[in-house]
Amino acid sequence: MDFFIPIRIVLLIVAVIFNLILSFFVLKNNARSATNRIFFVMALIISVWLLANGASIEEKFLDSSHFWIRASFFWAAPMTLLFFILAHTAPKEQFQMSKKLLRFLIAITVFVMFLSISPFAIIDVDLQSGIPKPVTGWGILPFGILAIFFTVSPIVILFSRFKRAVDIEKKQLKIIISGMVIMQGLIISTVFIPSMFYGESSFVSLMPLYTLVFLSFTTYAIIRHGLFDIKVLTSQLLVIVLSLIMLINFFASKSVIGGVFNFFIFISVVSMGGLLVKSVMREVKRREEVAHLAHKLERANLRLKELDEIKTEFMSIASHQLRTPLTVIKGFVSLIQEGAYGKTNEKIKEVLKNIYETNEHLIHLVDDFLNISRIEQGRAKYEFKKMDLTELINGVIVELAIKVSAKNLKIIFGQQGEKIEIVADSEKIRHVIYNFIDNAIKYTEKGVIKIIVDKEDGGHTLRVIDTGIGFDKIDHANFFQKFYRGKNTKRLDAQGVGMGLYVCRKFIEGHGGKIWAKSKGPQKGSEFGFWLKPKPAS
Ligand code: ADP
């Protein structure tokens, strides 16, 4: 007996088995999806056709070659119809063809199927060349037209859908088209042309491989976004194959002890395998959940960023609209105070002073809003120039003198007479120093506020040290965040919105410097300071 199995038969059997595995895998992946169902039926029919086609060219079946050739034509027609249907639907879950058209196409295909097995299509079989060849009659014509139409048009349909598709669907269609083009290209170049023009048909035995390429590509495209499932399937397959081997082993046992032993191994493999599959499934589910959450988070994050930008934009517009009337109010109040509209009595003077102060407070607030929107929109510009730090500090002290005296505090600035030259954006540094001293006044009930400038690490430090409410260590990390107000302000009736230090930090960082806050604890005073490097980043 000859045990040698020709390579074309091995190829055929392997391809059929793989096609069947793929078809069940795809169906199991999502049995509700129309694409997966079409794929399942298509892969089954392709397998049947492969077997019929393989048998029709097999020497061993020469006697029945007539039957096999007819069978191969019979199954080729629905196979091509399924290419056409798949091209309309894949990779969507809903069926994409009208029921009417489908019924019509099925009717034509069934007609062609039966016509091609009638004596009008295949009249006889030519066995002269060794490989059976059909002798065809007119009845084969409808089959030819149908087959050409159903193999060419799917590519056209897929291409036009590909052009309109977006995201994942576009990628999936690309893979399906690639598989179909490769398969049809190979069939035309190695099977169709050689057999039509040169009478050469040795490549026909490679057909199973070509269909396998197409089915593998399509499988990959269909389950692409659920790739994790491959792990579950692989582990399930492994367990099934192992269990089968163990079961065969058990039945093949030659002794009772061997049988018991093999049965024990079989049971162990089944139960351990079950556990393995379960844990893989759990893992896959967890991963899918994490991936889903990450995706949701990413979307939420994007939305938040969008909202933040809208808010900054709104803040910028609103602040600009507010700034002008506030400046106008300030101008008129000053004019009234200076007597430009006639004399004012003491009572009115007092009211005007209040209006002026409240207005000033509002102007600072609006300026901070404007600063924040500029920083966040990346519009903050720095003009670095040589400047005298002492002059700047003295200016701020004069500006805040009324507030200091109103609270009976004292400001000490040791280096009043010295000239301390630095290169910086004077407007921004003035803003920071103003905020530090203003806060020191706001958060100090009695005592002194010291301002100390030093040379450090080649640059300059400025410290504003007060004897005020101080703070806990945990709190200060947040002081430089946007809209943060310290817990230490709760008991205090101090106005503020928590923007000042955030803007200060941004300005100092814009200079390439550092900013800090220190305190020995609540009610033990605080130190707010910054360090500027000698030549700031331009
Ligand atoms: P605001 O003063 O409007 O609350 P800031 O951004 O200027 O906002 O300050 C943020 C927080 O830092 C304040 O709410 C306060 O808790 C704390 N802080 C600032 N300066 C001092 C200071 N000199 N002493 C104690 N705490 C301070």
Side-chain angles (χ1 to χ4, degrees), residues 229-386:
D229 283 1
I230 281 181
K231 278 192 186 167
V232 179
L233 189 94
T234 320
S235 55
Q236 281 173 341
L237 252 151
L238 192 80
V239 171
I240 291 169
V241 170
L242 268 177
S243 309
L244 272 175
I245 293 173
M246 291 307 148
L247 196 65
I248 293 168
N249 217 15
F250 164 67
F251 283 120
S253 310
K254 291 202 174 84
S255 65
V256 178
I257 297 179
V260 172
F261 181 70
N262 285 338
F263 184 72
F264 178 70
I265 295 183
F266 166 69
I267 295 293
S268 312
V269 167
V270 170
S271 49
M272 302 278 263
L275 286 179
L276 172 81
V277 171
K278 252 194 185 160
S279 78
V280 172
M281 277 167 108
R282 223 178 296 135
E283 159 84 9
V284 165
K285 205 166 172 216
R286 249 209 316 268
R287 277 221 222 163
E288 274 177 353
E289 273 167 15
V290 170
H292 182 66
L293 278 179
H295 182 67
K296 264 174 89 173
L297 212 67
E298 201 183 328
R299 282 215 322 248
N301 202 20
L302 270 177
R303 181 76 192 123
L304 274 181
K305 271 194 188 153
E306 266 172 35
L307 283 176
D308 201 46
E309 274 167 26
I310 295 170
K311 180 219 70 198
T312 310
E313 180 107 11
F314 168 75
M315 224 159 78
S316 161
I317 295 168
S319 312
H320 271 112
Q321 300 296 324
L322 285 172
R323 187 67 165 84
T324 326
L326 288 177
T327 320
V328 174
I329 293 172
K330 180 178 173 158
F332 279 117
V333 172
S334 296
L335 282 174
I336 302 170
Q337 278 176 328
E338 283 158 18
Y341 298 103
K343 269 201 163 188
T344 47
N345 61 32
E346 280 310 305
K347 217 171 177 186
I348 292 179
K349 266 189 191 149
E350 190 56 33
V351 174
L352 283 175
K353 195 174 145 243
N354 281 340
I355 295 176
Y356 188 88
E357 273 169 15
T358 314
N359 195 53
E360 273 302 277
H361 179 71
L362 267 178
I363 287 177
H364 278 294
L365 209 67
V366 171
D367 279 349
D368 270 342
F369 273 125
L370 277 171
N371 279 324
I372 288 184
S373 54
R374 266 188 221 117
I375 290 165
E376 297 197 337
Q377 289 172 337
R379 290 189 293 114
K381 289 200 175 68
Y382 293 83
E383 275 182 43
F384 293 100
K385 275 190 198 137
K386 257 193 194 165

Side-chain angles (χ1 to χ4, degrees), residues 337-459:
Q337 278 176 328
E338 283 158 18
Y341 298 103
K343 269 201 163 188
T344 47
N345 61 32
E346 280 310 305
K347 217 171 177 186
I348 292 179
K349 266 189 191 149
E350 190 56 33
V351 174
L352 283 175
K353 195 174 145 243
N354 281 340
I355 295 176
Y356 188 88
E357 273 169 15
T358 314
N359 195 53
E360 273 302 277
H361 179 71
L362 267 178
I363 287 177
H364 278 294
L365 209 67
V366 171
D367 279 349
D368 270 342
F369 273 125
L370 277 171
N371 279 324
I372 288 184
S373 54
R374 266 188 221 117
I375 290 165
E376 297 197 337
Q377 289 172 337
R379 290 189 293 114
K381 289 200 175 68
Y382 293 83
E383 275 182 43
F384 293 100
K385 275 190 198 137
K386 257 193 194 165
M387 54 171 265
D388 181 8
L389 198 57
T390 311
E391 199 184 308
L392 200 89
I393 297 167
N394 283 334
V396 176
I397 293 174
V398 170
E399 214 176 318
L400 289 168
I402 303 172
K403 278 192 183 177
V404 176
S405 61
K407 282 188 90 172
N408 259 332
L409 297 169
K410 211 174 148 195
I411 291 197
I412 304 171
F413 175 39
Q415 290 113 315
Q416 230 146 27
E418 274 175 50
K419 193 175 165 124
I420 307 168
E421 210 164 66
I422 60 165
V423 177
D425 182 319
S426 64
E427 210 14 74
K428 308 259 185 319
I429 298 300
R430 202 196 73 86
H431 185 97
V432 176
I433 298 172
Y434 184 97
N435 260 279
F436 280 4
I437 302 177
D438 192 40
N439 275 346
I441 301 168
K442 199 157 66 171
Y443 299 117
T444 305
E445 287 314 304
K446 60 175 197 284
V448 286
I449 296 162
K450 269 193 232 162
I451 302 161
I452 302 165
V453 179
D454 271 321
K455 272 197 167 167
E456 252 173 57
D457 296 335

Side-chain angles (χ1 to χ4, degrees), residues 476-510:
H476 84 279
N478 299 315
F479 286 171
F480 300 102
Q481 302 303 321
K482 204 170 18 172
F483 301 122
Y484 184 82
R485 300 211 69 205
K487 293 190 179 59
N488 56 357
T489 62
K490 295 263 156 68
R491 278 179 295 127
L492 216 73
D493 187 25
Q495 282 187 338
V497 285
M499 280 189 300
L501 289 181
Y502 170 73
V503 176
C504 292
R505 172 168 73 89
K506 288 288 179 185
F507 281 172
I508 295 298
E509 283 173 359

Side-chain angles (χ1 to χ4, degrees), residues 32-79:
R32 269 170 297 143
S33 158
T35 297
N36 296 32
R37 286 182 192 190
I38 296 167
F39 181 91
F40 175 72
V41 179
M42 188 175 77
L44 284 188
I45 293 183
I46 287 180
S47 303
V48 174
W49 174 78
L50 282 177
L51 289 173
N53 192 54
S56 75
I57 53 168
E58 197 49 47
E59 280 172 39
K60 287 195 181 92
F61 296 130
L62 273 186
D63 296 342
S64 51
S65 58
H66 204 133
F67 169 80
W68 290 116
I69 285 177
R70 283 184 168 172
S72 109
F73 275 97
F74 185 79
W75 289 109
M79 180 175 77

Side-chain angles (χ1 to χ4, degrees), residues 199-252:
E200 169 65 60
S201 50
S202 45
F203 282 107
V204 176
S205 49
L206 286 179
M207 288 281 258
L209 200 67
Y210 301 164
T211 61
L212 189 59
V213 170
F214 165 65
L215 291 181
S216 307
F217 269 62
T218 313
T219 305
Y220 180 67
I222 295 173
I223 54 152
R224 199 183 141 82
H225 45 282
L227 263 189
F228 288 142
D229 283 1
I230 281 181
K231 278 192 186 167
V232 179
L233 189 94
T234 320
S235 55
Q236 281 173 341
L237 252 151
L238 192 80
V239 171
I240 291 169
V241 170
L242 268 177
S243 309
L244 272 175
I245 293 173
M246 291 307 148
L247 196 65
I248 293 168
N249 217 15
F250 164 67
F251 283 120

